Amino acid sequence: MSPQNNKTGSSSFRHELGLFDSTMIVIGSMIGSGIFIVSSDIARSVGSAGLLILVWLIAGIITLIAALSYGELAAMMPKAGGQYVYLCEAYNPLVGFLYGWTLFLIIQSGTIAAVAVAFAKFTGVLVPGLGTNNVLITLLGLKISAGQLLAIFIISILSFINIKGLKHGKLVQNIFTTAKIVSILGLIVLGIFIGANSQAISANFTNIWNGQWLHMSAGKIQWIEQLSGFSIIIAIGVAMVGSLFSSDAWNNITFTAGEVKDPKKNIPLSLLIGTLTVTIIYMLVNVSYLLVLPLRGDPNGTSITSSGIQFAAEDRVATAAANIFLGEPAVIIMAVLIMISTFGCNNGLILAGARVYYAMAKDNLFFKKVGLLNKNSVPANALIIQAVWASILCLSGTYGQLLDYVIFAVLIFYMLTIAGVFILRMKKPNAERPYKALGYPVLPALYILLAASISIILLIYKPQYTWPGLIIVLLGIPVYYFKNRKTI
């Protein structure tokens, strides 16, 4: 994957990302809007404070193990494209292509679209005319809102900033991620030391493991399942969708390996520091929720406390919790915080994702022009095509459905990649490994076991999410063989 010379562009990437920059990409890409919302859905699935915390803890442990395992591959192959490169090396170009295909079609582009629309949705709290509820036109059955157009504008602006050069992209990332971390830590402190109240503490921590699963349909409780024995494991597995999705995108730093200073050292370190930091933040945020709000609630509750975490308005549990200790301004404060968080998150996703398509193009597995760098030493064409597809997803309104399928597909590729650590140890035993996976072979094997268990549970109990995702991955097979016959 050597850089390609061209008349108007640069011949190589610039190594401009230090350890701090790399860590900000890890943290910034991970923290979007999920942590402010998904605890409501998790609470409906597990129904107890202990199990809610356990779901987030398991997600954190899984993420940390994966990051520590990826560190070996990143240090061994510090090339643009990251995970795509690892899969090609461990298996074959087909497996790498299927990952890149799924990343472009759903994982990265769909997440970029969803995060941009989340930004617009919370902008609508401040300026209703710019929100997703303000439908401007209906075209061919599609309702296009001001919020969708704002989302496309945000994607375009961030893509343009990154086209101007890595130093601009990393500056945005560092500023917004730092602001995000400081703001969230401020809310945690306020929640624990000011918002904590005896009513919520008593309700949540008296019977901390007494779980129940609210089976919902059309926003209504169909039946309540008391959790015990194996049903606890099933409920946790189903609830993991939200926590794993909120903890995803940590691997984005590997995509930018060709631009990291001393990548053999800084990528493994940034993965460790970034994922550990986010795991701690997520745990503290949920502890804060549980100290401020009762977990169980009434879907017809008339107050914030009677609705609880389970039925916070529009699942905005962070806003509901902040309302307890900040009052009415909480709605505006949380809207601004989530706008900051989603803006920084999308910048990291946009910056990193384009490097995968660049690497694929260098291997003749994507449009040839995507494999060029511009005069600023960034893959401008890759950034443009990513922005166009993410914008189409914004307009189509299908990004939400696509993202339901994401976590299953993501788990498949994570398992394959970590299995690649074992494979490459056998295929290339003498390869330079500046960093070796911590706890090998136990921890990488444990990750594969846990991820496989969650995948099987989702396959059985959430088939509407898993099978479509698997089908989308498999559709890449005929595309790969067609591409091998015809040069794009």
Side-chain angles (χ1 to χ4, degrees):
M1 280 183 239
S2 59
Q4 180 172 330
N5 291 305
N6 58 89
K7 293 180 181 180
T8 59
S10 171
S11 62
S12 63
F13 284 116
R14 297 172 186 168
H15 296 277
E16 296 182 344
L17 296 174
L19 177 59
F20 178 78
D21 307 316
S22 301
T23 304
M24 290 299 99
I25 289 175
V26 175
I27 296 173
S29 298
M30 289 178 72
I31 304 177
S33 60
I35 186 59
F36 306 108
I37 299 171
V38 301
S39 288
S40 283
D41 188 56
I42 295 172
R44 291 192 291 269
S45 295
V46 297
S48 83
L51 293 178
L52 174 69
I53 293 295
L54 185 60
V55 166
W56 284 100
L57 179 60
I58 293 172
I61 291 171
I62 287 176
T63 302
L64 277 167
I65 293 174
L68 291 171
S69 299
Y70 269 56
E72 175 171 323
L73 300 173
M76 182 181 170
M77 296 172 281
K79 302 176 182 178
Q83 189 169 348
Y84 158 77
V85 176
Y86 314 153
L87 289 168
C88 287
E89 291 290 334
Y91 301 95
N92 53 57
L94 171 59
V95 177
F97 174 81
L98 291 178
Y99 173 69
W101 155 270
T102 311
L103 191 82
F104 178 73
L105 210 61
I106 312 174
I107 299 172
Q108 201 81 356
S109 301
T111 305
I112 289 169
V115 172
V117 172
F119 175 92
K121 185 178 292 185
F122 284 92
T123 300
V125 173
L126 306 179
V127 186
L130 295 178
T132 52
N133 292 327
N134 181 18
V135 177
L136 300 177
I137 188 173
T138 301
L139 185 65
L140 300 176
L142 293 176
K143 293 182 178 179
I144 299 174
S145 68
Q148 287 169 293
L149 296 181
L150 176 59
I152 292 172
F153 176 74
I154 291 301
I155 292 171
S156 301
I157 286 293
L158 287 172
S159 297
F160 175 75
I161 289 171
N162 279 281
I163 287 171
K164 296 294 288 182
L166 183 60
K167 65 179 180 180
H168 298 287
K170 77 172 186 179
L171 179 63
V172 170
Q173 192 67 26
N174 293 346
I175 291 172
F176 279 85
T177 301
T178 301
K180 178 186 336 190
I181 293 170
V182 171
S183 300
I184 293 175
L185 290 177
L187 286 173
I188 290 170
V189 170
L190 289 173
I192 293 175
F193 294 102
I194 296 179
N197 63 86
S198 57
Q199 179 185 357
I201 293 170
S202 175
N204 294 331
F205 297 100
T206 300
N207 295 302
I208 192 170
W209 301 110
N210 183 21
Q212 60 178 28
W213 185 351
L214 305 183
H215 292 267
M216 309 288 295
S217 179
K220 295 182 180 180
I221 301 174
Q222 299 302 304
W223 58 289
I224 300 175
E225 178 182 356
Q226 297 300 321
L227 298 178
S228 63
F230 190 65
S231 66
I232 295 177
I233 296 174
I234 300 302
I236 289 174
V238 170
M240 290 293 296
V241 171
S243 58
L244 285 174
F245 180 73
S246 299
S247 303
D248 194 25
W250 50 269
N251 61 327
N252 275 223
I253 185 57
T254 70
F255 303 162
T256 67
E259 295 151 286
V260 177
K261 300 173 185 175
D262 194 4
K264 295 178 181 181
K265 172 187 173 185
N266 286 334
I267 294 180
L269 265 178
S270 65
L271 283 168
L272 171 61
I273 297 169
T275 53
L276 182 60
T277 300
V278 173
T279 297
I280 293 170
I281 287 174
Y282 282 0
M283 295 294 291
L284 290 174
V285 166
N286 279 279
V287 168
S288 176
Y289 292 159
L290 292 167
L291 293 176
V292 174
L293 292 171
L295 181 138
R296 295 186 183 181
D298 181 352
N300 300 310
T302 56
S303 67
I304 292 173
T305 53
S306 62
S307 297
I309 292 174
Q310 289 180 327
F311 297 102
E314 298 183 50
D315 283 354
R316 297 179 185 179
V317 61
T319 301
N323 195 281
I324 296 295
F325 53 84
L326 293 177
E328 289 301 317
V331 174
I332 294 175
I333 292 170
M334 288 308 303
V336 172
L337 171 54
I338 295 174
M339 287 170 65
I340 291 170
S341 181
T342 50
F343 192 86
C345 176
N346 238 358
N347 182 73
L349 294 171
I350 288 167
L351 185 159
R355 274 65 180 174
V356 177
Y357 318 131
Y358 165 86
M360 291 175 69
K362 302 300 292 181
D363 289 344
N364 293 318
L365 292 176
F366 209 79
F367 299 104
K368 284 185 176 181
K369 289 187 177 180
V370 172
L372 301 176
L373 301 178
N374 68 4
K375 63 182 181 180
N376 301 314
S377 298
V378 295
N381 293 333
L383 285 161
I384 291 169
I385 197 169
Q386 176 181 253
V388 169
W389 179 240
S391 297
I392 290 171
L393 292 179
C394 285
L395 286 178
S396 70
T398 59
Y399 57 85
Q401 294 170 307
L402 289 172
L403 286 178
D404 286 339
Y405 313 147
V406 161
I407 200 61
F408 183 69
V410 164
L411 283 172
I412 290 173
F413 287 114
Y414 280 165
M415 285 188 287
L416 285 172
T417 305
I418 291 175
V421 175
F422 293 88
I423 292 170
L424 289 170
R425 288 269 184 122
M426 292 184 289
K427 287 177 65 174
K428 299 183 177 182
N430 298 320
E432 183 186 3
R433 289 177 171 83
Y435 164 85
K436 292 186 177 181
L438 184 69
Y440 178 90
V442 176
L443 290 183
L446 177 61
Y447 175 89
I448 294 171
L449 177 63
L450 290 172
S453 300
I454 294 168
S455 298
I456 291 169
I457 289 171
L458 293 177
L459 203 60
I460 296 171
Y461 292 93
K462 291 283 187 178
Q464 70 273 29
Y465 294 158
T466 52
W467 286 107
L470 184 58
I471 290 169
I472 289 171
V473 174
L474 296 178
L475 283 174
I477 295 175
V479 175
Y480 172 81
Y481 285 108
F482 176 78
K483 175 67 188 76
N484 275 357
R485 292 182 58 193
K486 181 180 178 180
T487 302
I488 293 180

